[in-house]
């Protein structure tokens, strides 16, 4: 398995262990993780701290060139908010752990020239399927249903 996707999975597990939603992400530039994060909506009482947003936030302020030469690895297909952030900063490639439990804005990303790779990772699927079955209200709150 890809080491960077594995790092995103570690973040997802960290979020689950904190009582949150098991979605993790890492932002990679020149083969090095510059930001890592996980969904912390529950932990921080936040409306926007999805895994991707947390990873980008934790990377700190970067020059446009850095984002434009980075790859975002995320355990779950990015929602509209996270996809908008990917587009805003010009991140050219997104590697997604899985998109069966939730299909985000992959078509939007592709239509704007972002390379989207879906790994269909079993660990990512199992984390989300287990979480959704045991926490349906929290999951529906997070995805806006």
């Amino acid at each position: 398995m890809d080491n960077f996707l594995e790092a995103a999975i570690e973040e997802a597990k960290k979020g689950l262990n904190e009582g949150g939603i098991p979605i993790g992400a890492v932002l990679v530039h020149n083969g090095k993780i510059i930001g890592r994060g996980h969904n912390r909506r529950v932990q921080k009482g936040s409306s926007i701290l999805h895994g991707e947003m947390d990873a980008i936030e934790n990377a700190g302020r970067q020059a446009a060139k850095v984002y434009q030469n980075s790859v975002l690895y995320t355990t779950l297909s990015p929602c509209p908010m996270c996809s908008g952030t990917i587009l805003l900063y010009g991140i050219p490639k997104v590697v997604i752990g899985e998109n069966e439990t939730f299909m985000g804005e992959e078509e939007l990303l592709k239509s704007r020239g972002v390379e989207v790779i879906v790994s269909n990772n079993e660990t990512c699927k199992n984390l989300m399927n287990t979480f959704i079955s045991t926490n349906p209200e929290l999951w529906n709150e997070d995805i806006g249903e």
Side-chain angles (χ1 to χ4, degrees):
M1 183 194 316
D2 186 303
N3 287 338
F4 296 127
L5 185 57
E6 187 62 42
I9 291 169
E10 288 171 20
E11 286 293 323
K13 289 177 179 176
K14 191 183 296 184
L16 183 63
N17 291 337
E18 293 171 354
I21 300 166
I23 304 167
V26 294
L27 184 63
V28 176
H29 180 256
N30 289 338
K32 180 179 177 231
I33 295 173
I34 61 170
R36 55 177 66 230
H38 51 275
N39 187 303
R40 295 193 303 159
R41 290 186 69 251
V42 173
Q43 300 92 310
K44 294 287 188 180
S46 170
S47 58
I48 62 169
L49 274 182
H50 284 186
E52 300 91 335
M53 301 295 279
D54 194 39
I56 292 168
E57 173 71 12
N58 289 331
R61 289 177 59 195
Q62 299 291 331
K65 231 185 237 186
V66 172
Y67 296 114
Q68 294 162 4
N69 290 289
S70 292
V71 180
L72 182 69
Y73 290 77
T74 179
T75 58
L76 187 64
S77 187
C79 76
M81 173 180 65
C82 296
S83 295
T85 302
I86 291 163
L87 295 174
L88 177 67
Y89 288 104
I91 298 169
K93 181 176 179 180
V94 179
V95 178
I96 298 167
E98 67 100 355
N99 62 6
E100 290 180 13
T101 60
F102 176 78
M103 173 58 80
E105 295 295 326
E106 294 175 28
E107 291 306 316
L108 172 63
L109 292 170
K110 290 176 189 176
S111 77
R112 299 281 296 272
V114 176
E115 180 183 357
V116 175
I117 297 170
V118 180
S119 300
N120 289 313
N121 180 279
E122 289 302 318
T123 302
C124 294
K125 291 179 200 176
N126 291 337
L127 277 168
M128 286 308 299
N129 280 321
T130 301
F131 180 82
I132 291 167
S133 67
T134 56
N135 300 279
E137 300 85 10
L138 183 55
W139 173 240
N140 288 333
E141 173 191 319
D142 194 62
I143 61 168
E145 291 186 6

